[in-house]
Amino acid sequence: MGLFEKAQLLLRERFGYGSFRPGQEQAVRAVLEGRDVLAVMPTGAGKSICYQIPAAALEGMAIVVSPLISLMSDQVRACREAGISAVFLNSTLELEEKRQITRAMLANMVDVVYITPEQLVQERFAAYMRKLNIGLVAVDEAHCISQWGHDFRPSYQGIGPVIASLPQRPPVMALTATATARVSADIRTLLGLQRPVEVRTGFDRPNLAFFVQRMPDSQKIQAILSYVRAHPDDAGIVYCSTRKKVDEVYQELMGAGVKAGRYKGDMAAGTREAYQRDFINDDTQVMVATNAFGMGIDKSNVRYVIHHNMPASIEAYYQEAGRAGRDGEPAECILLWNDNDIRIQRLLIDNAAAEAAELEGAAQAGAGKQRLLSSMVSYCHTAGCLRRFILGYFDEVESLPERCGNCGNCLDGAQGTDVSKIAVAVMACVRELRWPVGKGTLADIVCGSRSAKIKDKDYDRLDSYDSVSEPAALVRDVIELMAAEGYLAISDGEYTVVTQGPRASELSSLGFTLQMKHVSKAAAAKGAAKASSKSSNIPLQGRELELFQELRTLRKAIADEDGVPPYVVFSDKTLREMASLQPTDEDAFLAVSGVGTVKLEHYGRQFMGAIRSFLEAPAE
Ligand code: ADP
Ligand code: ZN
């Protein structure tokens, strides 16, 4: 039997999965052939299998560098549940524990060693590593090595030299969910990858449904509350832009009897971790958090992520929203926004730029951030497919249809309104004005306002005065959209004023059109309802759903007794399949995706028992 056949067998026996996903297969094959690998795969694509299976198939052990101490014990548990012997080394261990573990490693008795970069780069450990039988070094969250990445960790830069110092260089695998060209270049050079096989699985997450809803601040909390109440069995995350808002939303949910947790930067570390544990263990339903929450959350059954505010970039949004649906089951990502969000983000960028004004390159950084923000604003306004918009942003649209059928805009909540004429009138006014004015004044001029402010300045004598017969509120939105698309620029400085943007000249061309999303309330509600009723991959009905709930309760009881998160026992997806297949003998139980031999041994009796008594009980 070849090594790869062995790997396939291990996948089936230990993890209970029928086959590798395409990216996994590529990565596993490459490592087994002794090649280096750079794997760029989105959250939920199944990165851990890429090193866990080779670790079990190869003679030597896999050293897995991971930045997240909080995850390690769960990761080790998950390995052991798959019959893979795993240990972790980090600063939380006592000296004696460390000694025991290192002895086991020397005796080549472990398959997988999770270690923090800080531990790995200590000279004492590096020296010890040279005596080990190492089959693979895997570097998780590899983007942390780059200053261009969003989570730079200096200790990552010590990993490359440690690998280079090994007497026999094992294959090296770098894994990340986010890598721009610059970051991947850094990963290659700083880790010293040798002609790595590059595995890219694409960023699309078909099971995520995207929604954008414009809403005044005053309605947001109620909207969130009613969504949460309408999904009482689902876990979710609510992201807020400020700590104060986190508290408000949290209080509101708790007041309404929802089991919620919260997470923000100014909380004591212990408190924060307790809230995080409760959420991971399914003891709370909703986590209300700032963007400090999420890195290292391995909760696979998050069914929705709601953003109370618009984030600063598409990157940030996709990463945060992407924490939903890691198990591949349907999940919803909902963005609530209004003009205040744009104003606040712009203010933050300006303030940061002002603070850093003396630093070289600060202005450039500010301009970069404006561009990131512009794309985010365009996302809010687009009437096109939201998935296409996001993937287009990451340069990945070729393979996608025009409409994905699984986002708010595709589910016909949105229609494009042609606002080209308004845009042309606004541009004419910008060009005609001798001194630039702010967004509100600009809209007032083209709409022909009779206010004293307009008359005093003789704006009513301009050619473009009163050239638009639409409400000023709509014109202000068009101005925002034009700025987001680069036709106008909304400048920073003491007063925000509107000037021509880099694409201003395009308005003079014949083919110019500009579409803006127009959503009637009824249509928006309809769209959301449609998505919510969209069935899961494994639709469950009546009795099956009842059984699923019972199995969930059983899973929770077992997890609590063992002190592990429920997903370590079985994922929601596996439980759904169980509820649908209703296995009552070992072969049938093993046939459920996600059930390997170790899990059969650990949990088979209890779960099959529950299924049997459920089947024997008379239906109501
Ligand atoms: P990532 O680290 O890339 O975010 P994970 O390793 O946590 O992803 O895997 C995501 C989910 O996909 C997990 O629930 C995992 O059990 C499941 N999974 C991984 N590989 C497979 C496979 N080949 N077949 C079925 N499910 C898989
Ligand atoms: Zn779509």
Side-chain angles (χ1 to χ4, degrees), residues 385-387 403-407 410:
C385 172
L386 294 171
R387 181 184 317 279
R403 295 262 166 193
C404 74
N406 192 22
C407 75
C410 286

Side-chain angles (χ1 to χ4, degrees), residues 182-496:
R182 220 171 202 172
V183 172
S184 350
D186 271 2
I187 292 174
R188 283 158 176 271
T189 38
L190 296 172
L191 280 182
L193 297 184
Q194 297 175 0
R195 296 193 311 113
V197 172
E198 231 180 280
V199 179
R200 284 181 185 268
T201 56
F203 277 87
D204 190 18
R205 306 268 313 273
N207 62 316
L208 300 186
F210 295 94
F211 298 89
V212 170
Q213 206 153 7
R214 186 171 189 163
M215 191 178 281
D217 282 337
S218 60
Q219 293 174 14
K220 284 177 173 177
I221 292 188
Q222 276 313 308
I224 291 169
L225 181 58
S226 57
Y227 184 95
V228 170
R229 279 186 160 155
H231 300 79
D233 290 330
D234 293 342
I237 303 173
V238 177
Y239 278 111
C240 303
S241 59
T242 63
R243 295 165 184 176
K244 197 166 142 244
K245 206 38 101 178
V246 168
D247 290 334
E248 265 177 58
V249 175
Y250 169 81
Q251 301 294 357
E252 189 71 26
L253 290 176
M254 291 294 280
V258 175
K259 282 197 219 155
R262 59 179 150 176
Y263 193 104
K264 55 203 175 102
D266 62 349
M267 275 163 45
T271 319
R272 234 169 27 193
E273 270 152 34
Y275 277 121
Q276 179 169 322
R277 263 287 130 190
D278 285 350
F279 183 61
I280 290 174
N281 288 342
D282 289 353
D283 287 324
T284 51
Q285 189 202 341
V286 186
M287 181 62 117
V288 188
T290 61
N291 61 7
F293 175 74
M295 170 93 161
I297 297 308
D298 198 359
K299 187 177 167 71
S300 65
N301 64 337
V302 174
R303 294 270 70 86
Y304 58 86
V305 171
I306 303 177
H307 276 76
H308 179 280
N309 304 92
M310 189 184 75
S313 69
I314 297 276
E315 278 97 337
Y317 180 63
Y318 201 50
Q319 189 180 40
E320 287 158 20
R323 300 203 167 110
R326 288 182 69 150
D327 52 10
E329 293 277 292
E332 299 188 344
C333 309
I334 301 160
L335 171 60
L336 307 179
W337 75 284
N338 60 46
D339 275 345
N340 279 337
D341 296 327
I342 307 180
R343 227 194 39 240
I344 290 167
Q345 291 291 359
R346 203 168 272 142
L347 212 66
L348 290 176
I349 295 172
D350 290 350
N351 288 350
E355 260 170 43
E358 299 92 67
L359 293 174
E360 212 176 323
Q364 248 171 322
K369 284 185 180 153
Q370 288 285 8
R371 258 200 304 281
L372 294 180
L373 177 61
S374 292
S375 301
M376 197 66 236
V377 175
S378 295
Y379 177 76
C380 293
H381 281 291
T382 184
C385 172
L386 294 171
R387 181 184 317 279
R388 238 187 114 77
F389 187 99
I390 293 174
L391 294 169
Y393 181 84
F394 293 114
D395 279 330
E396 275 193 20
V397 280
E398 303 95 59
S399 55
L400 283 181
E402 199 61 34
R403 295 262 166 193
C404 74
N406 192 22
C407 75
N409 289 357
C410 286
L411 292 163
D412 75 22
Q415 277 174 340
T417 306
D418 189 333
V419 292
S420 321
K421 284 209 181 101
I422 302 176
V424 169
V426 166
M427 185 60 81
C429 183
V430 168
R431 288 181 177 144
E432 191 182 6
L433 282 164
R434 203 145 0 146
W435 307 107
V437 298
K439 182 172 80 174
T441 309
L442 189 58
D444 282 351
I445 299 172
V446 296
C447 292
S449 156
R450 294 172 199 287
S451 73
K453 193 175 148 200
I454 298 293
K455 295 219 158 130
D456 286 352
K457 297 232 164 132
D458 286 341
Y459 289 143
D460 52 354
R461 296 209 197 156
L462 296 169
D463 286 343
S464 51
Y465 178 76
D466 202 12
S467 54
V468 171
S469 54
E470 304 283 348
L474 176 64
V475 175
R476 286 196 293 270
D477 286 346
V478 174
I479 295 172
E480 276 302 345
L481 178 60
M482 289 173 75
E485 301 283 340
Y487 301 118
L488 293 176
I490 299 186
S491 71
D492 19 298
E494 197 173 346
Y495 303 102
T496 51

Side-chain angles (χ1 to χ4, degrees), residues 15-29:
F15 289 89
Y17 296 140
S19 59
F20 285 112
R21 293 172 177 161
Q24 290 173 333
E25 171 161 351
Q26 239 187 313
V28 169
R29 272 189 195 280

Side-chain angles (χ1 to χ4, degrees), residues 11 15-21 24 41-49 52 140 177 298 300 326-328 567 571 573 593-594:
L11 182 76
F15 289 89
Y17 296 140
S19 59
F20 285 112
R21 293 172 177 161
Q24 290 173 333
M41 299 161 89
T43 309
K47 284 186 283 297
S48 14
I49 295 276
Q52 285 167 349
D140 205 4
D298 198 359
S300 65
R326 288 182 69 150
D327 52 10
Y567 76 84
S571 71
K573 191 169 184 157
S593 170

Side-chain angles (χ1 to χ4, degrees), residues 78-120:
C79 280
R80 290 184 187 163
E81 289 291 339
I84 293 174
S85 74
V87 293
F88 67 82
L89 281 172
N90 64 34
S91 56
T92 65
L93 295 178
E94 305 284 335
L95 199 60
E96 188 45 40
E97 290 174 296
K98 275 192 192 170
R99 279 208 189 106
Q100 272 182 17
I101 289 169
T102 47
R103 267 200 296 274
M105 285 165 68
L106 268 180
N108 204 20
M109 277 161 53
V110 294
D111 290 324
V112 178
V113 182
Y114 284 95
I115 186 167
T116 54
E118 289 78 13
Q119 297 276 317
L120 181 92

